[in-house]
Structure formats: C-alpha cells, structure tokens
Amino acid sequence: MYQFSGKLKMFSIALIIIGALGIAYGFISAPTTVEEAKEIIAHQSSHGDDHGASHDEVKNDEHHSDAVKDSHANDHDAAHDEHVFHQLQNKPWAALYVALFFFLGITLLVLAFYAIQRVAQAGWSIVLFRVMEAITANLVPTSIVMLVIIVTAVMHMNHLFPWMAEGTFTPGHENYDAIVAGKSWWMNVPGWAIRSVIYLAIWNAYRFFIRRNSIKEDTANDGGKTYKLNYNVSVGFIFLFMISESMMSWDWIMGLDPHWFSTLFAWYVLASLLVSAVTVIAFVTIYLRSKGALPGVNDSHIHDLAKFMFGFSVFWTYLWFSQFMLIWYADIPEETTYFVARFNEYKVPFLAMVAMNFIFPVLVLLNSDFKSIPWLVVIGGVVILAGHYVDVFVMIIPATVGAQWSFGLAELGSLLFFLGIFIYATFSAFAKANPITKGNPFLEESEHFHYYNIEHRGEGSGDHH
Amino acid sequence: MESSKVIHAFYNDDEVVLDAVKTVKADGHHIEEVFCPFPVHGLDKAMGLAPTRLAITAFFYGITGLSFAIWMTNYMMIQDWPQDIGGKPNFSWFTNMPAFVPIMFELTVFFAAHLMVITFYMRSRIWPFKEAENPDPRTTDDHFLMEIPVNNNEAEITALLAKTGAVEINVVDKH
C-alpha cells in the first residue's frame, strides 16, 4: 500500500493556503465603486501599461474625435466607466473560475477516459486504473466549489454571466437584450442552475459508484459479475457524459458570450480537457512509479500515455483550427466578434497557445523513443498543461473582464489553490486502496504489456521475446 | 570462385523459428536470411537487425511537402497575381494563411506518405515484373525458412539445426 507522505501533505496544504491568500487578495483589491475603478485605470495608464494604452486607443476610436457632441461623449464616458468597473469586479471571480474549470474539467475527463478504458476492455491500462480513480477523487472538492460558484451567480454576487443581469429579458428595461431574450427558453437562471446541478450529480454519482465497485472487484470472486456490472454502468456513463459535457460547455463557457454560438464548441472543450487529463494521468503515474508505488507499470505504459498526449494534442489543434478557420473564412459579424475580441487584446496568449499545444508537443513527442523517457514526457506535459490553461483562460477571460486582463496574484493563487486540492485529494485517495485492481480479468495482460518498438530501461523484460 | 553453399532449414511454427534464430545466433553463426509467410514479432530483434530509418525519411519528406505548399501558395496567391477574391486579405502570406492550411496539411501528408512508400520500394527492391526471390514456394504459405551460409562447417550446423526443431534441412548451392 502507498503511504501519503507527510511531506507531500504539508506541501499540498501549503499550496491551498498560499492559493487562498492569492484569491483573497484578488477580491480585496477589486474595486467596490466606479470611482475606485477609475482610479485603478488611471494608475495603470500613468505607468504606461499596455492595456491602459490600448484602452485609450479604443476610446478615441469610439469617440470619432470632434464629430461627437460633448454631452454625448460624457454619457458615453459614464457608460464606459461602468463597463470597466464591472470588468474589474469580475476579475477575481473570473480568475477563480478559470482555475476551477480547468481542474474540474481535467478531473472529469480522467473519469471519462477511465470509463472508456473499461468499456473498450483495454488490455494495457488496467495497472493505471487506481491512478485514474485516485485522480477522480478531486471531482468532489471541485464540484463543491462549482456549486458555490453556481449559488453566487444565482444570487447575483458576481457578473460572470452577462445574461443574468437584471432586465435582460424585460422589454423596455435599459439592460434589455432582444437577442439574448430570444434564447431565454434555454438561458434562464433556474434552468441553468438546475442543469448545472444535474451535471455535477451525474458525474459524482458515477465516480462514487465506480470507485466503490472497483474496490469491491478486487475481492469479489463472483465469476466476473461485479466486473460486468461496472462495464454496463460505464457504458451508461459515457452516454450521459457526452450529453452532459456538451451542455456543460454551452452553459458554463459559451454562456459567457451569450451573443456568440459555435456548433463544435463542446467538442473543442472536450479535446482541450481530454489531452490535459491524459497528461495529468501520465504525471501522477510517473511520480508514483518513481516512488515505487506502481509495480506493474513499465515504460510501455508511459509510451502509450505519451501517444495519447500526442494524438489528442493534434486532435485539439484540429478542432481549434476548424472552429477558427470556418469563422475567419466566412467572416459573418455575429460569429467573428468572438475572435476579434481575442485577437485584439489577447494576441500573445491566443497565438502562444497554438505553439504550446501543437507545435511543441508534436516536435517533442513525435519520436517513438522519446515517448518512453519520463523526463521528456514531463517536459512535453508541462507545456501541454500550461497551454491548455491558457486555452481555458482565453475562453473565459475575454468574455468576463475584456481588456482589463492580467495574470497576477489572483490568477496564480487560484491555480495553486486548486493544485493543492488536487494533490491532497489524489494522493490521499490513492493511499486508501490497493494500487493494483486485482479482480480485473485483463490485469495479467496489462502487467505484461509491451510495445514492440521500444527498449525498456532498468526493468526486467525477460517475459517478452 | 568456389560455389558457395547455404543450408535451408525449414520450420512450421513462428515460435520455433524464433527460438531457432536465437540458438543459431548464440552459437555464433551468421544468418543470411529468414523467409516467413507473415510478420513474426521480435524476429528482427532476435536476428540483431538495425532499426529502420524509414520514419525519419518520412519526417523530412513531410517537411519538404510543407515547404512546397508554402512556396506554392505564396507564389500563386500573393506574388504572382494577388487578386481580391471574395475579400480575402492577400497583402501578405500570413494575412491569408488560414485559407492555405488545408493544402499545406494535405501536401505534407502526400509527400510524406508517397515518398516514404517509394523509398520503401527502392530500399526493399520491389517493383513490377521483379523476379521473385523466395527459395521455396512453401515459405509464402505455411513454412519458415532460415538460410545459413556454409564455410566448411556443414556437419556442425546441420547438427545444430536438427536440434532446433527443423522439419527439413537442405544443403543447396547458391547461385
């Protein structure tokens, strides 16, 4: 049995505390009045900050200099200040939300990947089942934080979702938005909240069931009955997962830009989280293996995980480019604004993400030998994970804080906070069960898994040809 | 030049031939060739064959295809006749780049795949009307054949092969 070392526990708790401090700082430094917001912006501009400068440009463009009457300009300024104030108020919430969605999504996709391995009756991954199960333990705390976000959004404590603003659906109200009002059959607060809770309930129910029954499988000895039950439940979960994942990405991400829509968006979110999930599985596997906690895992398992990291990186790029290129090519204004907003204010993260999520992994993980060298997989994986954090960042932040974005203490703190929770949940769950799923009929095959093309280093391979 | 002789040892199971290859290698004999009706996993490793470099050539062919696509789109669409087609920006290659990506991708795959296959044919010496080289037609159906050159040690090798489970051992003149 693996022992969750006190050192690692202290490390994760330290991350949670430091992260919480960062999050708290974000909330404290957010403005509470329009005047404070103006001060912050003035402060930024005087420092010759990029955002402040580009902001002024936008303002000048909007005013068309002399053509506009002064009174109009004043009105405009007031509306503008209000707008910036809301964006600055959103910042700490958005920072928390990005990190939360990143970790919740990764954990969810590890669960889905695990279910796929069961349904596909994969022969290679059985020795990794307990690793994947342990990672899914993170679903519980992240779901709880997500519930908090849902409740605070419903209670109008944040403005992450613009369509939740008062009067959006009321004709004649100053916030009335005919386009969003036309979507109110789907985008309404009770429906959104109920759906959100249902998604979380489905995922957590499957995780609770499969974890309990997987441990039961170890000692079941009932002629495969428990195994078959787990198989059938996993089939059902994948069906429900695909539906709930699509709707989740509409509700939780696309809903941040209520005027914009894209049909392959749910797949795109799925691909981004899937490649991150496989990378996280590889990381935890490499770590636990280096501690001697995974006796059945050999270089071929690492090689297979790296292949998935490579393949899904390309898959993500395919979907990213398909979404971008179709919108760029047709250039319909209602669709194009999404990318215009991202290209104007987020050029560096938007383009860096493609290099990090596509070019780098392709070059590092293309070579078959490299895929079984743990430190190379880790280097590739760090860039992939950072790239997909940027990906989630670019999905969420432009819609919530617009030009007022930065990567500061609040954003970093949120990341560290959820990383700490992740480490604590994963490794304490891994320590609670046998590291090998003994009752699985494919265990023997998995332990002897060998990819023909690679040499295993520093481990016995006498049972192969 | 004396006519060189080779020994043809026949086997009827892939596991047996794999073990025989290991035995013969362990005894220090050179194996000229092994003929199989289907790929035997691990045979190349057992024989000590160097890994193939075909994948490396494919990578460079792919880069060639990508470069060709970039050059072609840039020359045709930007340099030669930068016509306004449906408002697509053709001021530079980069402003119109997304529209070129499908052809860049396809040409990369096209070059990598076809040139690699042609390389494979050339390196393996396969072409239409090429005379077949299998020494015994049974090796394409259900028999495995190990060919070992003889250097005045015919009896020794024959005895060794007999122990490895060969179903037939012939000494033949190699032309």
Side-chain angles (χ1 to χ4, degrees):
Chain A
M1 290 281 266
Y2 171 75
Q3 273 254 307
F4 187 19
S5 70
K7 233 167 138 185
L8 193 60
K9 198 177 280 183
M10 282 312 295
F11 177 64
S12 64
I13 291 170
L15 281 179
I16 294 172
I17 292 169
I18 295 169
L21 289 176
I23 294 170
Y25 171 80
F27 278 101
I28 291 165
S29 60
T32 47
T33 62
V34 178
E35 279 63 43
E36 275 182 57
K38 280 167 99 168
E39 215 167 279
I40 291 171
I41 294 298
H43 194 66
Q44 277 179 4
S45 299
S46 67
H47 280 261
D49 184 273
D50 268 356
H51 306 312
S54 63
H55 204 85
D56 287 341
E57 277 171 35
V58 173
K59 234 157 94 178
N60 290 337
D61 279 353
E62 280 171 2
H63 290 173
H64 306 298
S65 56
D66 314 320
V68 184
K69 280 181 199 164
D70 273 352
S71 63
H72 181 83
N74 284 340
D75 278 359
H76 205 97
D77 258 356
H80 180 80
D81 290 340
E82 180 82 14
H83 182 63
V84 170
F85 167 57
H86 284 309
Q87 290 183 333
L88 285 174
Q89 264 199 326
N90 264 342
K91 265 195 85 172
W93 288 101
L96 187 69
Y97 193 61
V98 169
L100 168 65
F101 186 79
F102 186 58
F103 277 91
L104 173 62
I106 286 175
T107 311
L108 173 64
L109 263 292
V110 170
L111 188 66
F113 188 76
Y114 171 80
I116 290 166
Q117 297 302 306
R118 276 194 177 274
V119 171
Q121 302 191 339
W124 67 280
S125 54
I126 312 301
V127 292
L128 303 175
F129 269 16
R130 281 290 139 82
V131 175
M132 299 186 212
E133 283 170 22
I135 296 170
T136 62
N138 188 43
L139 193 62
V140 180
T142 44
S143 296
I144 291 169
V145 182
M146 190 66 210
L147 275 177
V148 172
I149 294 281
I150 292 167
V151 169
T152 52
V154 169
M155 291 170 70
H156 297 289
M157 288 167 73
N158 61 55
H159 302 99
L160 285 176
F161 296 89
W163 57 268
M164 285 184 188
E166 224 186 298
T168 308
F169 308 133
T170 322
H173 195 283
E174 58 168 345
N175 282 340
Y176 178 66
D177 187 327
I179 293 171
V180 179
K183 301 179 180 184
S184 63
W185 62 274
W186 177 269
M187 291 170 111
N188 54 75
V189 173
W192 179 84
I194 291 165
R195 283 194 305 271
S196 300
V197 172
I198 290 174
Y199 310 147
L200 293 172
I202 292 171
W203 306 335
N204 279 285
Y206 173 70
R207 192 209 92 81
F208 177 77
F209 172 86
I210 203 72
R211 170 68 168 173
R212 199 194 55 188
N213 262 38
S214 172
I215 292 171
K216 217 184 255 174
E217 214 177 272
D218 282 359
T219 52
N221 213 1
D222 54 2
K225 245 188 182 158
T226 314
Y227 172 77
K228 279 176 193 157
L229 176 66
N230 291 348
Y231 174 91
N232 290 334
V233 173
S234 301
V235 172
F237 171 70
I238 291 176
F239 176 74
L240 291 174
F241 165 77
M242 287 314 299
I243 295 171
S244 58
E245 193 275 338
S246 298
M247 291 172 35
M248 168 272 272
S249 50
W250 306 333
D251 274 337
W252 292 355
I253 305 289
M254 207 150 75
L256 297 164
D257 286 286
H259 285 190
W260 181 76
F261 47 85
S262 166
T263 38
L264 65 65
F265 191 73
W267 279 105
Y268 171 64
V269 173
L270 179 93
S272 185
L273 298 175
L274 182 56
V275 61
S276 310
V278 174
T279 307
V280 166
I281 295 172
F283 276 13
V284 177
T285 305
I286 288 170
Y287 173 78
L288 286 171
R289 185 175 167 229
S290 74
K291 296 281 167 202
L294 287 172
V297 175
N298 60 42
D299 286 343
S300 287
H301 295 103
I302 306 295
H303 189 275
D304 253 30
L305 285 169
K307 266 190 285 190
F308 272 117
M309 285 161 62
F310 174 83
F312 289 142
S313 284
V314 177
F315 178 60
W316 173 87
T317 315
Y318 167 65
L319 293 179
W320 174 82
F321 184 71
S322 301
Q323 180 171 280
F324 171 75
M325 195 261 243
L326 284 182
I327 289 174
W328 173 85
Y329 213 113
D331 205 18
I332 301 172
E334 70 204 56
E335 291 176 347
T336 302
T337 46
Y338 183 83
F339 285 111
V340 169
R342 278 151 184 79
F343 227 83
N344 283 349
E345 295 289 346
Y346 294 78
K347 196 168 268 163
V348 172
F350 187 78
L351 294 175
M353 162 172 105
V354 184
M356 291 163 88
N357 294 341
F358 176 62
I359 297 170
F360 189 82
V362 161
L363 292 179
V364 170
L365 296 175
L366 189 63
N367 188 316
S368 190
D369 294 335
F370 288 3
K371 288 202 256 298
S372 61
I373 301 172
W375 63 267
L376 264 170
V377 175
V378 169
I379 288 177
V382 165
V383 176
I384 288 175
L385 282 181
H388 286 281
Y389 172 78
V390 174
D391 186 14
V392 175
F393 191 86
V394 172
M395 281 191 243
I396 292 173
I397 300 290
T400 46
V401 303
Q404 306 305 319
W405 73 280
S406 60
F407 188 86
L409 280 176
E411 286 78 8
L412 189 66
S414 307
L415 255 187
L416 296 181
F417 179 72
F418 286 107
L419 180 64
I421 290 178
F422 173 86
I423 292 173
Y424 192 91
T426 300
F427 291 99
S428 59
F430 189 76
K432 282 189 189 119
N434 191 325
I436 298 288
T437 49
K438 279 192 180 135
N440 196 297
F442 294 100
L443 177 63
E444 182 84 13
E445 181 183 339
S446 181
E447 281 174 331
H448 296 114
F449 173 61
H450 180 80
Y451 183 64
Y452 77 100
N453 210 8
I454 64 165
E455 290 297 336
H456 287 198
R457 279 166 296 272
E459 57 186 33
S461 54
D463 48 356
H464 319 294
H465 301 305
Chain B
M1 199 179 148
E2 57 172 333
S3 76
S4 62
K5 281 181 169 179
V6 292
I7 294 185
H8 283 171
F10 289 81
Y11 299 86
N12 54 13
D13 188 90
D14 53 337
E15 290 291 325
V16 177
V17 76
L18 204 53
D19 287 337
V21 164
K22 284 174 190 164
T23 312
V24 172
K25 286 293 280 186
D27 215 48
H29 298 290
H30 172 69
I31 298 171
E32 186 69 31
E33 195 68 84
V34 176
F35 295 88
C36 303
F38 54 79
V40 177
H41 274 288
L43 187 60
D44 53 339
K45 281 222 172 90
M47 288 177 71
L49 299 181
T52 174
R53 288 165 295 179
L54 209 52
I56 299 168
T57 66
F59 180 73
F60 288 105
Y61 295 149
I63 289 178
T64 310
L66 181 64
S67 311
F68 175 69
I70 292 171
W71 170 80
M72 184 178 75
T73 48
N74 182 59
Y75 176 72
M76 289 179 177
M77 304 302 289
I78 310 296
Q79 307 298 332
D80 190 36
W81 193 10
Q83 200 184 203
D84 185 339
I85 303 167
K88 283 280 160 293
N90 53 17
F91 314 110
S92 76
W93 185 79
F94 283 101
T95 52
N96 211 357
M97 197 272 271
F100 303 145
V101 166
I103 194 71
M104 283 155 63
F105 171 77
E106 294 295 348
L107 278 176
T108 306
V109 174
F110 180 88
F111 272 63
H114 288 82
L115 291 180
M116 177 175 74
V117 166
I118 292 168
T119 307
F120 169 72
Y121 286 158
M122 288 166 68
R123 294 291 292 162
S124 322
R125 312 185 146 273
I126 303 174
W127 54 82
F129 311 114
K130 172 182 162 108
E131 206 176 319
E133 284 175 355
N134 57 320
D136 190 300
R138 286 175 293 169
T139 60
T140 64
D141 181 17
D142 61 348
H143 276 67
F144 302 81
L145 190 155
M146 193 197 302
E147 186 178 288
I148 302 169
V150 184
N151 304 304
N152 301 323
N153 52 359
E154 194 179 314
E156 188 200 333
I157 296 178
T158 311
L160 177 71
L161 288 172
K163 274 193 285 179
T164 59
V167 292
E168 188 180 320
I169 301 172
N170 303 328
V171 182
V172 292
D173 285 326
K174 184 121 179 169
H175 314 297

